[in-house]
Amino acid sequence: MSRILRVAGAQTGPIQRADSRARTMRRLVALLEQAAERGARLVVFPELAFTTFFPRWPMDEAETLTYFERSLPNPAVQPLFDRARELGVGFYVGYAELTGDGHRFNSSVTVGPDGTILGHYRKVHLPGSAVVKEGQRYQQLEKMYFEYGDRGFRTFRGPAEWGRPVLGMLICNDRRWPEGWRVLGLGGVELVCIGYNSAAYDPNGGESESAALRTFHSTLAVQANAYMNATWACSVAKAGVEDGAGLIGGSCIVGPDGAVVAQAATLEDEVIVADCDLDACRQGKEKMFDFAAHRRPQWYGPITGQVGAVAPD
Amino acid sequence: MSRILRVAGAQTGPIQRADSRARTMRRLVALLEQAAERGARLVVFPELAFTTFFPRWPMDEAETLTYFERSLPNPAVQPLFDRARELGVGFYVGYAELTGDGHRFNSSVTVGPDGTILGHYRKVHLPGSAVVKEGQRYQQLEKMYFEYGDRGFRTFRGPAEWGRPVLGMLICNDRRWPEGWRVLGLGGVELVCIGYNSAAYDPNGGESESAALRTFHSTLAVQANAYMNATWACSVAKAGVEDGAGLIGGSCIVGPDGAVVAQAATLEDEVIVADCDLDACRQGKEKMFDFAAHRRPQWYGPITGQVGAVAPD
């Protein structure tokens, strides 16, 4: 049986703070429909795809709660879930999760073509600060708004009609940390889905790396980690100038040989599509990156044994 | 005090089985002198730089021993050590190590400008096979000729005249394994030296990835791991057609932002040079890759807890 899965990245342009949920949902559904028309069976949306990237400001509790989902699906996002099931298309989407017992996470789900939630991930590598930095117009408050993910990096199977791919999820900053990729690789992953919101420049006007260099880093990390774990990856941005702060685009689909096979050309709503031959992962997994034959964990101790760097005297 | 260290990669063309040690030493010394003339203070030579890549054949014990160094330096390699000390230049070099009690490793040393051995590494990620594959003209017998490295991934300081850089070493296949890089990153590494011999195609004539794709992989792994660990890297090939088997070139010096700042253009003896501002590592180490602030080792357990991949049912 063929194990070629047509995957789409549904990059979105900016979603402004003033945009209504209904308007945003229409955009996401339109992207889903474009992807389905092009034959995609799995569509990857960005991190925190339903709203602006709200950790850039402090907010009071009442406003904060408007950005969180108490359950998934729920009435505000139901149109996306309904349309996907009608089309028989699955999707990955990032959202702000509020649990029944009050915990808050930067989360994602992968939803199967029948609407079943196949996987649920909570972002482990939260960047930014836990406290407001005085005098800065724009903040990066992910460590304030969210708890660290408490589910680790789990792989799971997609349905038979997709060829039972081994799937994994990361969110944004996770893609720069080889540890998350490696744990997924050790779970046999064949396709890693990633959503992101990444600054294109310092929105407070400080000296800053260029948007081009930042996009290069975003793509480089996905290419090399896909290669080193012999997996496909679909990494999808929210892009463009959102509430005055620029976000890089560069959404891409990368093969297990590290090559970019599709990449977004705009900073707007844009669908990219690629046929991912899941069996193309086998060459890497069985030869160069045959972990059982070549890994030497007895020398990896510091990776789990210490947190920060310690230079020699 | 400036911490700009001018580093050279001394790529070599092929070293044939028939070449004398004296001839090879003249080539290495010539490369050292070229690098010193261009102002380099640390010169990186390839893996197993004194001989052909002998693990491509089985050999009897007497011949095998001719490829191993019982100590370093020794009379056969003394010209390189002597000339380097005269020039006040340090170097990294890969060699086959035979210990006093009979152990054999694929090793490297980093030698300071005064001839002191600053660091000693034994390759952890041995590729290839421990047994001869019948009917194949060319083998990859590293697992037969060498034991797995038993010293882990240690960082160490260079001398004051280099700005006391935190140095680390990898050998060839190690550069494709993020674990080794990460352990060096956790040791505060600022410059990773790497030598390699990597096949350009299947020398037995099988279907094979192109030399261009293999060179891309070699460079990609160094770029991304340098970026993710906020370190410089100097990765140096033995290149060209050696005893009928092709080796990729592509020797490169990569900055802590993942950019290639110098790369070899030939498959011959060729020196590349770059000024490595060691303090340029600080931006990454203190912000994006501030390990103490952002790593979450409690979720990295499988990296040390299991060897091979285990896919979900």
Side-chain angles (χ1 to χ4, degrees):
Chain A
M1 181 188 131
S2 164
R3 297 186 70 233
I4 296 175
L5 179 64
R6 188 167 292 182
V7 174
Q11 176 175 292
T12 72
I15 297 174
Q16 310 300 342
R17 195 170 181 173
D19 287 347
S20 70
R21 279 290 190 110
R23 174 186 152 85
T24 300
M25 215 48 55
R26 286 195 295 273
R27 285 171 61 189
L28 300 183
V29 167
L31 287 164
L32 183 87
E33 290 173 340
Q34 284 177 45
E37 271 172 33
R38 293 172 64 182
R41 293 187 288 162
L42 171 60
V43 183
V44 178
F45 290 99
E47 174 193 38
L48 299 173
F50 301 136
T51 68
T52 188
F53 185 76
F54 63 86
R56 64 169 71 92
W57 310 283
M59 295 181 292
D60 65 27
E61 177 69 0
E63 186 178 2
T64 299
L65 288 175
T66 67
Y67 288 93
F68 279 80
E69 316 303 318
R70 285 179 175 72
S71 63
L72 213 66
N74 62 52
V77 303
Q78 196 68 48
L80 179 65
F81 282 73
D82 288 347
R83 189 70 182 120
R85 192 157 68 171
E86 283 170 16
L87 293 167
V89 170
F91 63 96
Y92 161 109
V93 70
Y95 67 105
E97 177 186 11
L98 174 60
T99 69
D101 55 350
H103 296 285
R104 298 173 193 200
F105 300 99
N106 186 343
S107 298
S108 63
V109 289
T110 299
V111 179
D114 63 353
T116 307
I117 290 184
L118 302 171
H120 174 203
Y121 172 68
R122 292 168 172 162
K123 184 174 180 178
V124 166
H125 296 102
L126 295 176
S129 173
V131 294
V132 174
K133 295 185 179 176
E134 292 302 325
Q136 289 196 356
R137 181 169 172 210
Y138 292 101
Q139 308 284 328
Q140 213 300 19
L141 294 170
E142 283 191 60
K143 288 188 200 284
M144 183 181 90
Y145 281 116
F146 304 114
E147 297 175 51
Y148 289 105
D150 62 353
R151 298 171 59 83
F153 304 97
R154 305 181 189 184
T155 55
F156 52 95
R157 290 270 183 188
E161 65 185 274
W162 292 354
R164 303 196 70 239
V166 181
L167 302 173
M169 293 186 276
L170 297 171
I171 298 176
C172 194
N173 186 43
D174 285 321
R175 74 193 185 286
R176 307 182 201 271
W177 296 82
E179 292 92 342
W181 288 91
R182 184 56 108 215
V183 176
L184 293 176
L186 285 163
V189 77
E190 296 174 312
L191 171 63
V192 178
C193 300
I194 308 160
Y196 62 93
N197 289 262
S198 294
Y201 50 80
D202 177 357
N204 294 311
E207 202 178 319
S208 168
E209 293 172 330
S210 70
L213 182 60
R214 290 163 184 251
T215 306
F216 163 71
H217 288 158
S218 178
T219 308
L220 174 67
V222 175
Q223 288 184 272
N225 284 297
Y227 166 63
M228 295 188 292
N229 292 285
T231 181
W232 290 89
C234 181
S235 183
V236 177
K238 179 138 60 65
V241 179
E242 187 176 82
D243 292 310
L247 298 170
I248 61 167
S251 302
C252 57
I253 301 174
V254 170
D257 64 359
V260 175
V261 297
Q263 189 150 31
T266 74
L267 298 176
E268 303 296 331
D269 290 10
E270 179 180 350
V271 173
I272 57 173
V273 170
D275 281 330
C276 301
D277 179 355
L278 301 162
D279 287 332
C281 301
R282 288 178 56 186
Q283 168 159 334
K285 289 186 191 300
E286 294 173 4
K287 292 185 179 171
M288 183 77 81
F289 299 110
D290 177 347
F291 291 171
H294 302 307
R295 293 182 76 249
R296 304 292 295 164
Q298 57 268 59
W299 302 112
Y300 307 157
I303 294 172
T304 48
Q306 72 186 70
V307 183
V310 182
D313 289 334
Chain B
M1 179 188 133
S2 163
R3 297 187 71 232
I4 296 175
L5 179 64
R6 187 166 294 181
V7 174
Q11 176 175 291
T12 72
I15 297 175
Q16 310 300 342
R17 194 169 182 173
D19 286 348
S20 70
R21 278 290 188 112
R23 174 186 152 86
T24 300
M25 214 49 56
R26 285 195 296 274
R27 285 172 61 190
L28 300 183
V29 168
L31 287 163
L32 183 87
E33 290 173 341
Q34 284 177 44
E37 270 172 34
R38 293 172 65 181
R41 292 187 288 162
L42 171 59
V43 183
V44 179
F45 290 98
E47 174 194 37
L48 298 173
F50 301 136
T51 68
T52 188
F53 185 76
F54 63 86
R56 64 169 73 92
W57 310 282
M59 295 182 292
D60 65 28
E61 177 69 1
E63 186 178 1
T64 299
L65 289 175
T66 68
Y67 288 94
F68 280 79
E69 315 303 318
R70 285 179 175 72
S71 62
L72 213 65
N74 62 51
V77 303
Q78 196 69 48
L80 178 66
F81 282 72
D82 288 348
R83 190 69 181 121
R85 192 157 66 171
E86 282 170 16
L87 294 167
V89 170
F91 62 96
Y92 161 108
V93 69
Y95 67 106
E97 178 186 9
L98 174 60
T99 69
D101 54 351
H103 295 284
R104 299 172 192 201
F105 299 100
N106 186 341
S107 297
S108 63
V109 289
T110 298
V111 179
D114 63 352
T116 307
I117 290 183
L118 302 171
H120 174 202
Y121 172 67
R122 292 168 171 162
K123 184 174 181 178
V124 167
H125 295 103
L126 296 177
S129 172
V131 294
V132 174
K133 294 185 179 176
E134 292 303 324
Q136 288 196 356
R137 181 169 172 210
Y138 291 101
Q139 308 284 328
Q140 213 300 18
L141 294 171
E142 284 192 59
K143 287 188 200 285
M144 182 180 90
Y145 280 116
F146 303 115
E147 297 175 50
Y148 290 105
D150 62 353
R151 298 171 59 82
F153 305 97
R154 305 181 189 183
T155 55
F156 51 95
R157 291 271 182 188
E161 65 185 275
W162 292 354
R164 303 196 71 239
V166 182
L167 303 173
M169 293 186 276
L170 297 172
I171 299 176
C172 193
N173 186 42
D174 284 322
R175 74 194 185 287
R176 307 182 201 271
W177 296 81
E179 292 92 342
W181 288 90
R182 183 57 109 214
V183 175
L184 293 176
L186 285 162
V189 76
E190 296 174 312
L191 172 63
V192 178
C193 300
I194 308 160
Y196 61 94
N197 288 263
S198 294
Y201 50 79
D202 176 357
N204 294 311
E207 202 177 318
S208 168
E209 293 171 331
S210 70
L213 182 60
R214 290 163 184 251
T215 306
F216 163 71
H217 289 158
S218 178
T219 309
L220 173 67
V222 174
Q223 289 183 272
N225 284 297
Y227 166 64
M228 294 188 293
N229 292 286
T231 181
W232 289 90
C234 181
S235 183
V236 177
K238 180 140 58 66
V241 179
E242 187 176 82
D243 291 309
L247 298 170
I248 61 167
S251 302
C252 57
I253 301 174
V254 170
D257 65 358
V260 175
V261 297
Q263 188 151 30
T266 73
L267 298 176
E268 303 297 330
D269 289 10
E270 179 180 350
V271 172
I272 57 173
V273 170
D275 281 329
C276 301
D277 179 355
L278 301 162
D279 287 332
C281 302
R282 288 178 56 185
Q283 167 159 335
K285 290 187 191 300
E286 293 173 4
K287 292 184 179 173
M288 183 77 81
F289 298 110
D290 177 347
F291 291 171
H294 302 308
R295 293 182 75 249
R296 305 293 293 164
Q298 57 269 60
W299 303 112
Y300 307 157
I303 294 172
T304 48
Q306 72 186 71
V307 183
V310 182
D313 291 333

